[in-house]
Amino acid sequence: MKRSQQRGASIRSEERRAELIATGRKLFANTSYDALSMDDIARHAGVAKGLIYYYFGNKRGYYLAIVEDSVAELVALAASDPELSRTERVRRTVEAYLYFAQHNEAAYRTIITGGVGFDTQVQAIRDAVRTGLVSTVAEGAYGRRDIPPIARLALLGWLSSVEWLTLEWLGHQELTLEIPRDLLVRMLRHTLNTIEEFAPECPAPPVDPHWRPFTGRTDAASPVTDPAGDMTDSPGT
């Protein structure tokens, strides 16, 4: 086979694999790993079951490939526009995280809880998510990713709260996404303030006095805060 033909075959193979992953993401978006058999998957994908085995080895390999693809999307969604202000980038990061979890619940639960067996491979996927998100939050808050160990440790602690608060919210979605988003952003402000105490070289973003958290309440007397800032008095009070 000529080199150009080999290259073309390789591209088609990658496209075929990507198509199978895209199909799997739709199937597993809100369906647990155990609920779908390989026969179900092949039928929905419109392919022979052997093709899935060829590309992914087995059902677990296929599912992990889907989760890894979801992870890449999650980190990409969280990487907000660098032209935004630092406080807005932090808010967008948290919002993108919750949006992903809400629309990819089964994959999200696998990422956080190891839904296909808690082993080193699943742990590596989760670690990749956490590393990417901590770096994204650091860049949004400080304009850089290289932060001291104490700052990274504190952000990981906040991220652990994010993970389990998100799982709880997914199980009881009486609250709209805006409420857990702004609650988590408020918790992050306290974390950033604490980091500044321990690492003055990592100052917390400045206060934006015009930002108002979404609480679901309609009263006009709600306090004004910024998404990464301190509480301030409402305008005119």
Side-chain angles (χ1 to χ4, degrees), residues 28-48:
F28 285 110
N30 293 295
T31 304
S32 69
Y33 174 77
D34 294 325
L36 290 170
S37 68
M38 286 292 279
D39 289 323
D40 294 329
I41 295 166
R43 185 171 62 255
H44 281 92
V47 300

Side-chain angles (χ1 to χ4, degrees), residues 142 144 146-151 195-204:
Y142 306 121
R144 58 193 176 92
D146 58 322
I147 55 177
I150 183 66
I195 289 173
E196 184 175 1
E197 292 180 19
F198 284 82
E201 68 272 28
C202 293

Side-chain angles (χ1 to χ4, degrees), residues 62-169:
Y62 180 51
Y63 191 61
L64 288 175
I66 293 167
V67 172
E68 287 173 338
D69 189 71
S70 300
V71 164
E73 180 188 340
L74 172 55
V75 175
L77 282 172
S80 301
D81 186 345
E83 299 302 316
L84 295 173
S85 68
R86 290 196 295 169
T87 53
E88 182 63 14
R89 288 181 69 186
V90 167
R91 178 177 170 275
R92 293 280 186 92
T93 296
V94 175
E95 182 174 293
Y97 184 96
L98 290 168
Y99 181 88
F100 173 87
Q102 185 179 40
H103 292 274
N104 299 272
E105 183 174 343
Y108 179 79
R109 289 185 180 279
T110 295
I111 294 168
I112 301 306
T113 65
V116 293
F118 191 81
D119 61 18
T120 55
Q121 194 170 5
V122 176
Q123 182 65 43
I125 293 172
R126 184 185 182 196
D127 288 347
V129 174
R130 303 184 105 213
T131 297
L133 288 174
V134 165
S135 295
T136 298
V137 170
E139 190 167 23
Y142 306 121
R144 58 193 176 92
R145 291 177 173 239
D146 58 322
I147 55 177
I150 183 66
R152 188 167 298 280
L153 183 65
L155 289 177
L156 281 170
W158 170 78
L159 184 55
S160 293
S161 298
V162 172
E163 292 169 351
W164 295 105
L165 185 150
T166 301
L167 287 174
E168 183 67 20
W169 173 64

Side-chain angles (χ1 to χ4, degrees), residues 186 207-211 222-226 230-234:
R186 174 46 119 172
V207 171
D208 177 359
H210 302 295
W211 184 81
S222 299
V224 172
T225 67
D226 99 19
D230 292 320
M231 297 287 287
T232 62
D233 291 332
S234 299

